[in-house]
Amino acid sequence: MTQISLHSQAQSVLVYPAEQFTVVNGANLGDPLGLAEDLTHDDIYRLSAAASAARLNVVGTGPQQFRVGNEGDLGTPGAQLHIDCCVTLMSGNGDTSECIVLVETNRTGGIVALYILPLAPLSARTDYALVGVDTQGALQKFGQISSVSFTRGTRITLATGAQKPVERLQIGDRVLTRDEGPQDVRWIGHSTVRAVGSFAPILIRKGTLNNSNDLVVSPDHRLFIYQRTDHLGTGRAEVLVKARHLVNGSSVQRLTGGFVEYYQMLFDTHQIIYAEGIAAESMLVSPQSCATLPAEVARRLSDIVPHQKPSFDDIEVQEALLTRPDIATLLRRSSGG
């Protein structure tokens, strides 16, 4: 396997300032959810009734290295961010949910702010008992949020033109890419997670983007659109759009509940491939997503060089241009569908 290089990646996540999620009963009464070393099992937490989630822009700059980006609502752009732990919470009815604790620090390493990134929705009317604290797997959990994934049954176009369900792909299979023709699959990832919060997949119904069948992908999966007419006002013909920005409750829906099987494909370089007739990106190796790779693959990333192939970030459409409920329809029209 050739060396795979790491690319800086920006990611927008919804978080709560830690002071909005505090202990209402227990040893740390009145304290917000904090660093792993300060937490006490069985403390009862509650989200403030006035709590409001806001976007934190996270930029990966190297292995396990992150900073606050420019596009978010919280944090000081350029400040360092650290992933401290992932906590498991249990509500009164026995349901469990997880939250990642992010720490913003200043130049001297002092803590400026703590943020709570819930992996499933939190309710202000619910008490949550702290039942688990994980400092080893938190980075991997964070990486799973940003890993672009296809779901079981998604048909991928091979170099021959044939279509093969993603779960039947094997390492070495040659897949058709938009820019570099047939390319070998180098690694295939698979995980089963609860379809809630950041992990709830997005359903794009047949024909919505001229797709031949329903397509179900992870929320941050970016889809490639060639615009014959620029209805979005992006000023360019080629655009990438995250699936979650297309949700309209009808032709594009978030599927919540139960479990979902996710699959990731890794090539020597970041690629645009074809899934159910839609051009979509493959896995991008970034400081976030590399944490999800097995050790033998991750070791190949120890000598990082700048990504030699563009990651297509320059053609991604920002959320500000995607606030209209008919965005999916506009994109279909833009592409001549």
Side-chain angles (χ1 to χ4, degrees), residues 65-83:
Q65 296 177 2
F66 307 95
R67 62 176 175 81
V68 178
N70 296 320
E71 305 298 326
D73 304 315
L74 297 173
T76 302
Q80 293 295 310
L81 276 175
H82 307 272
I83 298 174

Side-chain angles (χ1 to χ4, degrees), residues 63-213:
Q64 303 184 37
Q65 296 177 2
F66 307 95
R67 62 176 175 81
V68 178
N70 296 320
E71 305 298 326
D73 304 315
L74 297 173
T76 302
Q80 293 295 310
L81 276 175
H82 307 272
I83 298 174
D84 182 72
C85 64
C86 180
V87 300
T88 302
L89 306 165
M90 180 178 290
S91 62
N93 60 10
D95 290 340
T96 59
S97 55
E98 295 177 311
C99 295
I100 295 173
V101 178
L102 301 171
V103 184
E104 178 184 343
T105 60
N106 57 27
R107 293 182 178 179
T108 61
I111 295 176
V112 174
L114 274 71
Y115 306 105
I116 310 304
L117 169 57
L119 302 184
L122 296 175
S123 171
R125 297 179 297 276
T126 302
D127 288 347
Y128 298 93
L130 179 64
V131 295
V133 180
D134 179 11
T135 58
Q136 301 301 313
L139 181 63
Q140 183 177 32
K141 285 284 185 181
F142 185 70
Q144 288 175 339
I145 299 174
S146 64
S147 290
V148 296
S149 307
F150 299 98
T151 57
R152 171 176 285 273
T154 301
R155 297 183 304 168
I156 306 299
T157 301
L158 302 179
T160 61
Q163 294 186 321
K164 192 174 186 179
V166 65
E167 68 272 16
R168 290 175 49 198
L169 285 176
Q170 298 179 347
I171 293 174
D173 278 354
R174 291 178 68 76
V175 169
L176 179 65
T177 71
R178 179 182 182 273
D179 300 304
E180 297 187 289
Q183 292 292 313
D184 291 345
V185 175
R186 296 302 190 181
W187 176 77
I188 300 172
H190 173 233
S191 61
T192 301
V193 298
R194 289 177 60 201
V196 295
S198 301
F199 296 113
I202 305 299
L203 163 65
I204 302 169
R205 295 196 178 278
K206 176 181 177 180
T208 300
L209 293 176
N210 303 313
N211 41 313
S212 55
N213 289 291

